[in-house]
Amino acid sequence: MTLARRTLIAAAAAITLAAPLASWAQDIKPRLIRYGYGLTEASNSGRASKLFAEEVEKASGGKMKVRTIGNAALGSDVQMQQALIGGAQEMMVGSTATLVGITKEMAIWDTPFLFDNAKEADVVLDGPVGQKVMDKLQEKGLVGLVYWENGFRNLTNNRRAINRLEDIDGIKLRVMQNNVFIESFKTLGANAVPLPFSELFTALETKTVDGQENPYNTILSSRFYEVQKYLTVTNHVYSPWIVLVSKKYWDGLSKDEHKVLLDAARKSRDFERQDTRAEADRALAELKSKGMQINQLAPAEANRMREKLSAVNASIASHVGEDLWKETQAAVAKARAAK
Ligand code: TK8
């Protein structure tokens, strides 16, 4: 047999074999979902991500597998969002605030003092306004499944206790990569420095920045108490997380697979909120025992802060659109009245 002929036969065999092999491999190979997040495995987002992965695997009978990867090992929020849009990564959970550059309507959640308590946040985020904002992501290549609780944000720094608004003056404060946060903290007199979360610990440790703001849970799980002395309870904004899927990936899944992901995401949301709230209740005492000096902003100062920050409302409204602004205000008012 000539070499050419042998090659031809081999090629033909490869073709006839390849087709059934490929479809067989598709049937048994679990759909692998690379799912990233920014915090540690031992954090609230780590625990809920693990539960999500377990639920997906259970509900799909092992056909879908979620590999959760924490510590921003797949990249910062912004980098992961781009990977999802491009189809290089399937899922992530991160702050809504870091999505504003992609979907401007997300900035509505950055409104200072929008919610008075977590219950109001749940009602509005899980209601029609929350869904509407989430659905805006689709035109940008992302599918939002559910909102989780990051939590009410509080200030930490290494310079001094914040007793009066003026104490914020000149503090180099890391903020999320988001214009509302930059504007808010400039308004309060801080020197606002936008940085990805993944660079924050080092920035605090090396004193590149003096302080930051995040919920108690994160200050604890990311060990910021090791590099921050003062914690001031401000609750200046409620920060949601959002569970995202790459639209490119989503569009290739079946209806049943969509349901598996959505059901698991809802279970993870319910678990996550409960877990986060229970942890937040314990966190202040724990942070104190780790050596942080904690103070509550006195009501009069908190009011001054609230008033000062209301100056950013107009720019948020024009950024997200007056209609969405009004709808959100109405939804909050309704949730508040219903309690
Ligand atoms: C984690 C971030 C974090 C957020 C921040 O990736 O950046 O300060 O609060 O939770 O999304």
Side-chain angles (χ1 to χ4, degrees):
M1 214 189 293
T2 64
L3 184 61
R5 202 179 146 77
R6 240 186 300 169
T7 313
L8 250 179
I9 290 170
I15 287 165
T16 48
L17 261 175
L21 256 182
S23 66
W24 173 79
Q26 273 262 311
D27 283 347
I28 61 150
K29 188 173 156 245
R31 286 196 181 263
L32 182 67
I33 296 172
R34 285 158 300 181
Y35 168 116
Y37 59 95
L39 272 57
T40 69
E41 265 177 52
S43 68
N44 51 345
S45 55
R47 290 188 291 273
S49 296
K50 186 163 171 272
L51 180 123
F52 173 75
E54 287 163 1
E55 289 296 331
V56 169
E57 189 151 355
K58 206 163 48 178
S60 69
K63 285 205 178 111
M64 297 170 89
K65 262 196 179 351
V66 181
R67 186 188 294 154
T68 56
I69 304 156
N71 283 309
L74 292 181
S76 66
D77 282 11
V78 169
Q79 287 167 329
M80 289 195 287
Q81 289 154 13
Q82 291 306 328
L84 261 63
I85 291 169
Q89 182 183 326
E90 291 74 32
M91 286 189 72
M92 65 172 285
V93 62
S95 288
T96 54
T98 56
L99 274 169
V100 168
I102 293 170
T103 295
K104 63 181 185 348
E105 289 83 358
M106 282 287 161
I108 191 70
W109 312 129
D110 303 328
T111 308
F113 301 105
L114 179 63
F115 301 123
D116 278 349
N117 53 57
K119 197 164 167 267
E120 287 177 11
D122 290 356
V123 170
V124 176
L125 290 164
D126 299 347
V129 177
Q131 190 63 46
K132 186 177 187 173
V133 174
M134 194 181 260
D135 288 345
K136 289 273 174 206
L137 293 166
Q138 296 228 9
E139 53 203 64
K140 299 291 163 70
L142 295 167
V143 178
L145 298 184
V146 287
Y147 294 102
W148 285 0
E149 173 158 300
N150 187 352
F152 283 98
R153 302 179 79 91
N154 293 293
L155 270 182
T156 70
N157 86 94
N158 242 343
R159 294 268 293 274
R160 53 185 170 257
I162 310 294
N163 291 307
R164 310 187 57 227
L165 218 51
E166 287 70 17
D167 294 329
I168 299 175
D169 238 43
I171 286 187
K172 242 184 167 185
L173 193 86
R174 175 272 176 176
V175 294
M176 290 187 279
Q177 296 151 292
N178 167 302
N179 284 335
V180 179
F181 275 83
I182 297 172
E183 201 186 328
S184 293
F185 282 95
K186 278 191 178 154
T187 303
L188 292 177
N191 177 359
V193 183
L195 272 182
F197 183 81
S198 46
E199 289 169 27
L200 181 49
F201 187 91
T202 308
L204 293 169
E205 194 177 32
T206 57
K207 305 205 173 357
T208 306
V209 292
D210 302 316
Q212 62 89 43
E213 43 86 53
N214 252 299
Y216 301 145
N217 308 66
T218 299
I219 299 168
L220 195 58
S221 63
S222 290
R223 299 178 161 270
F224 291 159
Y225 54 81
E226 289 181 357
V227 286
Q228 293 280 272
K229 181 151 188 210
Y230 304 102
L231 191 164
T232 308
V233 180
T234 50
N235 292 315
H236 50 271
V237 68
Y238 178 92
S239 191
W241 276 323
I242 186 166
V243 178
L244 299 171
V245 188
S246 155
K247 185 154 190 308
K248 274 193 179 159
Y249 178 69
W250 180 261
D251 288 346
L253 297 177
S254 67
K255 286 245 156 8
D256 287 348
E257 288 168 325
H258 287 169
K259 186 168 157 30
V260 166
L261 291 184
L262 199 53
D263 287 350
R266 288 186 177 141
K267 278 189 186 155
S268 74
R269 171 191 67 198
D270 297 345
F271 166 83
E272 195 271 348
R273 285 177 180 165
Q274 234 177 4
D275 177 60
T276 297
R277 285 160 201 175
E279 184 182 51
D281 285 345
R282 296 187 306 262
L284 260 194
E286 216 172 321
L287 289 168
K288 205 168 176 181
S289 79
K290 304 270 189 206
M292 287 198 94
Q293 198 174 304
I294 299 167
N295 76 299
Q296 205 89 27
L297 204 58
E301 285 304 306
N303 278 339
R304 285 181 69 209
M305 187 179 198
R306 192 185 275 259
E307 247 163 60
K308 226 175 179 180
L309 282 177
S310 69
V312 302
N313 288 352
S315 76
I316 298 174
S318 77
H319 192 71
V320 303
E322 293 291 338
D323 288 349
L324 179 61
W325 174 265
K326 283 187 192 140
E327 255 174 85
T328 309
Q329 293 298 322
V332 172
K334 194 172 155 210
R336 203 160 286 169
K339 69 178 166 202

PDB file of all heavy atoms in Angstrom, residues 38-39 77 95 150 153 174 176 197 214 241, ligand 1:
ATOM      1  N   GLY A  38     -14.332  37.128  44.461  1.00  0.00           N
ATOM      2  CA  GLY A  38     -13.180  37.891  44.929  1.00  0.00           C
ATOM      3  C   GLY A  38     -12.705  37.610  46.344  1.00  0.00           C
ATOM      4  O   GLY A  38     -11.548  37.851  46.676  1.00  0.00           O
ATOM      5  N   LEU A  39     -13.617  37.122  47.199  1.00  0.00           N
ATOM      6  CA  LEU A  39     -13.269  36.947  48.608  1.00  0.00           C
ATOM      7  C   LEU A  39     -12.666  35.556  48.861  1.00  0.00           C
ATOM      8  O   LEU A  39     -12.537  34.758  47.938  1.00  0.00           O
ATOM      9  CB  LEU A  39     -14.517  37.166  49.478  1.00  0.00           C
ATOM     10  CG  LEU A  39     -14.773  38.625  49.915  1.00  0.00           C
ATOM     11  CD1 LEU A  39     -14.892  39.574  48.743  1.00  0.00           C
ATOM     12  CD2 LEU A  39     -16.023  38.714  50.772  1.00  0.00           C
ATOM     13  N   ASP A  77     -13.288  41.666  39.924  1.00  0.00           N
ATOM     14  CA  ASP A  77     -14.667  41.720  39.415  1.00  0.00           C
ATOM     15  C   ASP A  77     -14.700  42.156  37.946  1.00  0.00           C
ATOM     16  O   ASP A  77     -15.300  41.505  37.097  1.00  0.00           O
ATOM     17  CB  ASP A  77     -15.508  42.733  40.218  1.00  0.00           C
ATOM     18  CG  ASP A  77     -15.967  42.197  41.574  1.00  0.00           C
ATOM     19  OD1 ASP A  77     -15.475  41.136  42.001  1.00  0.00           O
ATOM     20  OD2 ASP A  77     -16.826  42.856  42.208  1.00  0.00           O
ATOM     21  N   SER A  95     -19.730  42.477  43.082  1.00  0.00           N
ATOM     22  CA  SER A  95     -20.546  43.629  43.460  1.00  0.00           C
ATOM     23  C   SER A  95     -21.242  44.249  42.256  1.00  0.00           C
ATOM     24  O   SER A  95     -20.646  44.379  41.192  1.00  0.00           O
ATOM     25  CB  SER A  95     -19.667  44.695  44.117  1.00  0.00           C
ATOM     26  OG  SER A  95     -19.280  44.254  45.389  1.00  0.00           O
ATOM     27  N   ASN A 150     -24.086  41.683  50.002  1.00  0.00           N
ATOM     28  CA  ASN A 150     -22.732  42.013  50.425  1.00  0.00           C
ATOM     29  C   ASN A 150     -22.907  42.667  51.794  1.00  0.00           C
ATOM     30  O   ASN A 150     -22.392  42.176  52.779  1.00  0.00           O
ATOM     31  CB  ASN A 150     -22.095  42.936  49.379  1.00  0.00           C
ATOM     32  CG  ASN A 150     -20.612  43.218  49.625  1.00  0.00           C
ATOM     33  OD1 ASN A 150     -20.058  42.862  50.645  1.00  0.00           O
ATOM     34  ND2 ASN A 150     -19.984  43.899  48.687  1.00  0.00           N
ATOM     35  N   ARG A 153     -22.248  49.064  54.185  1.00  0.00           N
ATOM     36  CA  ARG A 153     -20.810  49.335  54.199  1.00  0.00           C
ATOM     37  C   ARG A 153     -20.420  50.276  55.341  1.00  0.00           C
ATOM     38  O   ARG A 153     -21.170  51.183  55.690  1.00  0.00           O
ATOM     39  CB  ARG A 153     -20.372  49.897  52.840  1.00  0.00           C
ATOM     40  CG  ARG A 153     -20.700  48.949  51.687  1.00  0.00           C
ATOM     41  CD  ARG A 153     -20.296  49.503  50.336  1.00  0.00           C
ATOM     42  NE  ARG A 153     -18.879  49.373  50.068  1.00  0.00           N
ATOM     43  CZ  ARG A 153     -18.337  48.316  49.442  1.00  0.00           C
ATOM     44  NH1 ARG A 153     -19.094  47.307  49.021  1.00  0.00           N
ATOM     45  NH2 ARG A 153     -17.039  48.278  49.233  1.00  0.00           N
ATOM     46  N   ARG A 174      -9.606  53.938  49.758  1.00  0.00           N
ATOM     47  CA  ARG A 174      -9.880  53.097  48.578  1.00  0.00           C
ATOM     48  C   ARG A 174     -11.385  52.955  48.401  1.00  0.00           C
ATOM     49  O   ARG A 174     -12.100  52.682  49.354  1.00  0.00           O
ATOM     50  CB  ARG A 174      -9.268  51.715  48.762  1.00  0.00           C
ATOM     51  CG  ARG A 174      -9.608  50.742  47.629  1.00  0.00           C
ATOM     52  CD  ARG A 174     -10.918  49.983  47.876  1.00  0.00           C
ATOM     53  NE  ARG A 174     -11.279  49.116  46.744  1.00  0.00           N
ATOM     54  CZ  ARG A 174     -12.325  48.294  46.744  1.00  0.00           C
ATOM     55  NH1 ARG A 174     -13.127  48.235  47.777  1.00  0.00           N
ATOM     56  NH2 ARG A 174     -12.601  47.560  45.689  1.00  0.00           N
ATOM     57  N   MET A 176     -14.490  51.403  45.420  1.00  0.00           N
ATOM     58  CA  MET A 176     -14.665  50.519  44.267  1.00  0.00           C
ATOM     59  C   MET A 176     -14.516  51.343  42.982  1.00  0.00           C
ATOM     60  O   MET A 176     -14.632  52.566  42.995  1.00  0.00           O
ATOM     61  CB  MET A 176     -16.039  49.847  44.329  1.00  0.00           C
ATOM     62  CG  MET A 176     -16.129  48.826  45.448  1.00  0.00           C
ATOM     63  SD  MET A 176     -17.663  47.879  45.437  1.00  0.00           S
ATOM     64  CE  MET A 176     -18.786  49.013  46.228  1.00  0.00           C
ATOM     65  N   PHE A 197     -10.743  45.201  44.371  1.00  0.00           N
ATOM     66  CA  PHE A 197     -10.707  44.595  45.694  1.00  0.00           C
ATOM     67  C   PHE A 197      -9.477  43.709  45.867  1.00  0.00           C
ATOM     68  O   PHE A 197      -8.890  43.652  46.944  1.00  0.00           O
ATOM     69  CB  PHE A 197     -11.991  43.773  45.923  1.00  0.00           C
ATOM     70  CG  PHE A 197     -12.068  43.165  47.286  1.00  0.00           C
ATOM     71  CD1 PHE A 197     -12.492  43.920  48.372  1.00  0.00           C
ATOM     72  CD2 PHE A 197     -11.692  41.848  47.498  1.00  0.00           C
ATOM     73  CE1 PHE A 197     -12.546  43.367  49.644  1.00  0.00           C
ATOM     74  CE2 PHE A 197     -11.743  41.290  48.766  1.00  0.00           C
ATOM     75  CZ  PHE A 197     -12.170  42.042  49.841  1.00  0.00           C
ATOM     76  N   ASN A 214     -16.276  48.675  53.617  1.00  0.00           N
ATOM     77  CA  ASN A 214     -16.868  47.384  53.267  1.00  0.00           C
ATOM     78  C   ASN A 214     -17.731  46.913  54.436  1.00  0.00           C
ATOM     79  O   ASN A 214     -17.609  47.431  55.538  1.00  0.00           O
ATOM     80  CB  ASN A 214     -15.755  46.354  52.998  1.00  0.00           C
ATOM     81  CG  ASN A 214     -15.623  46.002  51.520  1.00  0.00           C
ATOM     82  OD1 ASN A 214     -16.556  45.491  50.901  1.00  0.00           O
ATOM     83  ND2 ASN A 214     -14.461  46.285  50.953  1.00  0.00           N
ATOM     84  N   TRP A 241     -24.461  41.950  46.041  1.00  0.00           N
ATOM     85  CA  TRP A 241     -23.677  41.167  45.100  1.00  0.00           C
ATOM     86  C   TRP A 241     -24.649  40.623  44.079  1.00  0.00           C
ATOM     87  O   TRP A 241     -25.861  40.539  44.330  1.00  0.00           O
ATOM     88  CB  TRP A 241     -22.995  39.982  45.806  1.00  0.00           C
ATOM     89  CG  TRP A 241     -21.704  40.305  46.469  1.00  0.00           C
ATOM     90  CD1 TRP A 241     -20.738  41.157  46.045  1.00  0.00           C
ATOM     91  CD2 TRP A 241     -21.218  39.749  47.710  1.00  0.00           C
ATOM     92  NE1 TRP A 241     -19.677  41.158  46.923  1.00  0.00           N
ATOM     93  CE2 TRP A 241     -19.953  40.310  47.947  1.00  0.00           C
ATOM     94  CE3 TRP A 241     -21.722  38.820  48.621  1.00  0.00           C
ATOM     95  CZ2 TRP A 241     -19.175  39.978  49.062  1.00  0.00           C
ATOM     96  CZ3 TRP A 241     -20.955  38.491  49.729  1.00  0.00           C
ATOM     97  CH2 TRP A 241     -19.699  39.064  49.946  1.00  0.00           C
TER      98      TRP A 241
HETATM   99  C1  TK8 B   1     -15.288  41.334  45.781  1.00  0.00           C
HETATM  100  C2  TK8 B   1     -15.841  42.762  45.755  1.00  0.00           C
HETATM  101  C3  TK8 B   1     -16.143  43.259  47.162  1.00  0.00           C
HETATM  102  C4  TK8 B   1     -16.599  44.712  47.191  1.00  0.00           C
HETATM  103  C5  TK8 B   1     -15.425  45.652  47.062  1.00  0.00           C
HETATM  104  O1  TK8 B   1     -14.885  40.930  44.528  1.00  0.00           O
HETATM  105  O2  TK8 B   1     -14.798  45.676  46.007  1.00  0.00           O
HETATM  106  O3  TK8 B   1     -15.127  46.382  48.013  1.00  0.00           O
HETATM  107  O4  TK8 B   1     -17.298  44.997  48.363  1.00  0.00           O
HETATM  108  O5  TK8 B   1     -17.154  42.446  47.716  1.00  0.00           O
HETATM  109  O6  TK8 B   1     -16.991  42.797  44.957  1.00  0.00           O
END
